Amino acid sequence: MRIAAIDQGTTSTRVLVVDEHGGADIARAIRHHTYHPHPGWVEQSAEELLSNMSACVETAGNVDAMGIDNQGESCLAWDAKTGEALSPVIAWQDNRTEVELNRLRADGAQSLTLERAGLPIDPYFSASKLAWLLKHNRKVRNARKRGTLRLGTTDAYFLDRLTGHFATDTTTASRTSLMNLQTGQWDDALCKLFDVPVECLPEIRSTVGDFGQIGNVPVTASVVDQQAALYGHGCRKSGDAKITFGTGAFALTLTGEHIVRVPDQGLVPTVAWRIGDKITYALEGGVYDASAAVEWGGRLGLFEDLAEISAFESPAAIASGLVFVPALSGLACPHWDRTAGAMWIGMRASTSRQDMCQAMLEGVAMCAAQVMHAMSRHVDMASHISVDGGLARNTYFAHFLADVLGTSVRTQRFHELTSFGCAALAALGYGVQLQERRNPSIIFKPRQPTETIAAWHNTFSQAIQRSRGWR
C-alpha cells in the first residue's frame, strides 16, 4: 500500500509518499513565487499553485489514496463553469483589509465573531479577503451576477479543479471566520457581517472522507497544514502540543471535545480535525514572522549561510539588552496588533552582525514562548513540546527556546511531519492505520535559572510595547 500526501504550503508544494510500514520519502518539491504588489499585500498565482500540485500528483505515481493539506487562510475567487481563477490567491499574511476591519471593531462586531467563529476580527482570516474581492474585483462581481462565482480557501479551488468536488474540510472552514465553531457549518450571521454570499462557499466535509478522485486515486483527507502537522507529531491527547517554525510559527495544543475560549489572551480556538461526526478542538496561537524574519535578515546581508547562525560564542543577546521584535507583518497572538513594527533595540557601537542574528533568533523564540505561556494558563500541558520546521534544526534556537519556555523541547530527525500527518489522515480515510514512525528525537532541556528567564521576558515585553502602534 502507498499513500501520497500533497503539502501545499506558503513557499512550496511537495509530495510525500509513505507505505504501510512507515517508510516515507519526499518525491518532489517545487517552490512558487510570492508577490507584493502594494505594501501589506501578499499574493500568489492560483494557476502556478495548481500546476505545481498537478506535477506533484504526477510524480507520486501509482498510489492507493491521497491527502491534501493547505495554507489555511489563503483564499481566492474562481468561475464555476470555466474553472478560471478570477483573482490571485490572497495569502494569509496579507493585511489589505485592516482599515475596513477597524470599522467593524469600532461597531462592536468582534463580539459576534468571537461568539460564533471563536476568532478575533483580523485580516489574517479569510472572510474579509473574500469580501474585499467582491467589492474591488470586477471579474468577481460579474461572475456573481452570472451565478457562476465560487469563493473559498485554496483547498476548495484545488479540489474543484482536480476532482470536481467543490468542498472544503472543517479545519479549513474554521479558519475563515465564517464557520460556526460548534456546529461545523457556515454561519448566516457571520456571512452577513462580512457580506460574503453563503451560496458561493463550498460544502464543508469531515477532514477524513470522500473528496473525489484525481484520475483513479481517491482523495480521502483534506486538512490545514498546521493541523496536519499536529497529527504528524503524534498529538492525540488533550494537552499535547506542537510548534511548527515555518514562514510563521504556529502553536497548537489539543483540547479534545472542549472549545477553550480566552479572547483576552489572544488565543484562538480552532478545529484540530473532524473524523466522522466527532470534532476534536485545539487552541492555536501564531507568530506571523518566524523563518520569514530570518530569511529577511539573510537578504539584508547579516549572514550568508544558516550554518553561520547555529552557534554563538557570546551569551544570549537579550542578556545584554539587545532585542529583536519580529513584527515584519505585525504581531499575532497574544497581541493581535498589525500596527506593530519590527525592530532591533539596544544596539551599541560595538554591536556586530552576529549579535543582530543572535537577537533575531531569540526574538522569534520569545514570541513563541509568549504564546505557549498564555496557553499553559488554560490547558494542562504535556511535559514537553514537540517542534519542527527549519528553525527547529538550529541548535542555538532550540536551546534558547527550551530556556524561555521553561520546559523540554523535542525536535524530530524526520522533519516532514506536516506531510506525514496528512498521509496518516488519508490512510484512515482509505481504511488503514499507518504504522507510527520510529522517529529519533533530540531533547533540549532548560538550562537557565528561573530568575534569569523572568528578567529576559520582562525585557522582551518592554520591547514589544515600544514596537506597538508604530505603523
Side-chain angles (χ1 to χ4, degrees):
M1 180 199 70
R2 299 173 79 243
I3 305 289
I6 309 294
D7 174 18
Q8 204 299 294
T10 305
T11 59
S12 70
T13 304
R14 50 213 293 115
V15 56
L16 180 83
V17 179
V18 305
D19 58 38
E20 66 267 32
H21 304 298
D25 295 293
I26 289 290
R28 189 169 186 179
I30 312 171
R31 291 183 68 88
H32 55 255
H33 297 87
T34 297
Y35 307 95
H36 303 270
H38 301 286
W41 290 32
V42 187
E43 296 180 350
Q44 295 167 348
S45 164
E47 294 295 342
E48 181 185 10
L49 297 185
L50 183 66
S51 175
N52 293 350
M53 289 272 293
S54 298
C56 284
V57 169
E58 183 178 352
T59 303
N62 185 25
V63 295
D64 297 289
M66 186 176 296
I68 297 173
D69 67 72
N70 68 84
Q71 297 181 35
E73 299 78 10
S74 301
C75 58
L76 71 157
W78 67 102
D79 189 275
K81 287 188 176 180
T82 67
E84 175 195 2
L86 303 174
S87 74
V89 171
I90 303 181
W92 56 268
Q93 305 105 312
D94 190 285
N95 68 356
R96 72 185 66 186
T97 62
E98 178 64 23
V99 172
E100 294 173 25
L101 293 186
N102 282 338
R103 299 192 190 100
L104 286 180
R105 292 190 201 97
D107 292 340
Q110 185 157 275
S111 60
L112 178 66
T113 64
L114 289 172
E115 175 194 350
R116 302 288 183 96
L119 303 177
I121 288 180
D122 193 272
Y124 177 44
F125 307 110
S126 313
S128 65
K129 300 179 177 73
L130 297 174
W132 188 94
L133 289 173
L134 282 159
K135 185 175 181 180
H136 297 280
N137 186 308
R138 180 177 53 81
K139 287 184 177 180
V140 173
R141 291 196 302 274
N142 289 342
R144 187 181 182 187
K145 290 177 183 176
R146 294 193 304 269
T148 61
L149 176 62
R150 287 188 169 170
L151 296 169
T153 40
T154 55
D155 61 318
Y157 172 70
F158 300 141
L159 289 168
D160 192 26
R161 291 290 300 270
L162 295 173
T163 75
H165 285 232
F166 181 42
T168 187
D169 93 295
T170 313
T171 68
T172 314
S174 76
R175 310 304 298 167
T176 61
S177 225
L178 298 172
M179 189 194 86
N180 188 300
L181 200 57
Q182 288 184 306
T183 66
Q185 298 300 322
W186 300 123
D187 188 285
D188 288 337
L190 291 171
C191 290
K192 182 178 180 181
L193 173 68
F194 289 101
D195 199 20
V196 174
V198 69
E199 66 272 13
C200 296
L201 296 173
E203 176 190 353
I204 301 176
R205 300 181 183 178
S206 296
T207 305
V208 172
D210 178 16
F211 290 93
Q213 292 185 327
I214 301 178
N216 295 320
V217 180
V219 178
T220 54
S222 184
V223 63
V224 175
D225 53 7
Q226 298 308 318
Q227 278 81 335
L230 185 69
Y231 201 86
H233 274 272
C235 297
R236 301 291 186 272
K237 305 187 303 296
S238 182
D240 286 352
K242 72 90 193 175
I243 312 174
T244 297
F245 291 96
T247 302
F250 298 97
L252 283 168
T253 300
L254 281 177
T255 61
E257 298 178 2
H258 304 289
I259 301 174
V260 177
R261 299 176 187 269
V262 279
D264 58 317
Q265 296 293 312
L267 296 169
V268 174
T270 192
V271 174
W273 42 76
R274 182 174 185 170
I275 299 174
D277 293 328
K278 182 181 178 182
I279 298 179
T280 299
Y281 294 98
L283 198 57
E284 189 258 358
V287 179
Y288 288 134
D289 299 290
S291 293
V294 177
E295 290 171 3
W296 171 74
R299 293 197 299 273
L300 292 181
L302 295 180
F303 64 92
E304 292 184 2
D305 189 275
L306 291 172
E308 298 175 31
I309 58 171
S310 62
F312 301 93
E313 294 181 0
S314 57
I318 198 170
S320 62
L322 177 60
V323 176
F324 175 69
V325 179
L328 295 168
S329 306
L331 293 169
C333 175
H335 310 286
W336 291 108
D337 184 1
R338 290 282 190 163
T339 69
M343 66 178 218
W344 277 278
I345 189 168
M347 290 183 288
R348 299 179 173 89
S350 59
T351 298
S352 67
R353 288 189 299 173
Q354 283 286 94
D355 296 331
M356 295 174 72
C357 289
Q358 194 171 0
M360 191 166 55
L361 293 172
E362 292 171 10
V364 174
M366 293 296 292
C367 280
Q370 287 191 334
V371 172
M372 297 311 300
H373 288 162
M375 286 185 179
S376 67
R377 290 192 282 270
H378 304 280
V379 182
D380 187 12
M381 306 289 288
S383 60
H384 70 273
I385 294 173
S386 186
V387 302
D388 70 315
L391 286 178
R393 299 193 284 274
N394 182 297
T395 302
Y396 181 81
F397 179 83
H399 271 302
F400 187 85
L401 182 65
D403 284 338
V404 296
L405 285 173
T407 193
S408 296
V409 168
R410 184 179 71 184
T411 65
Q412 314 286 340
R413 291 188 179 175
F414 175 75
H415 300 295
E416 301 295 338
L417 296 174
T418 298
S419 300
F420 188 80
C422 179
L425 289 165
L428 282 182
Y430 187 63
V432 298
Q433 187 91 30
L434 278 189
Q435 180 178 320
E436 290 289 332
R437 286 187 57 83
R438 294 179 180 177
N439 191 9
S441 59
I442 303 172
I443 304 294
F444 295 86
K445 295 184 178 181
R447 305 164 298 176
Q448 298 291 339
T450 55
E451 316 84 65
T452 299
I453 299 305
W456 291 357
H457 279 292
N458 182 59
T459 299
F460 189 72
S461 294
Q462 292 180 53
I464 287 282
Q465 290 307 313
R466 285 168 170 78
S467 78
R468 298 191 66 176
W470 185 257
R471 298 182 196 276

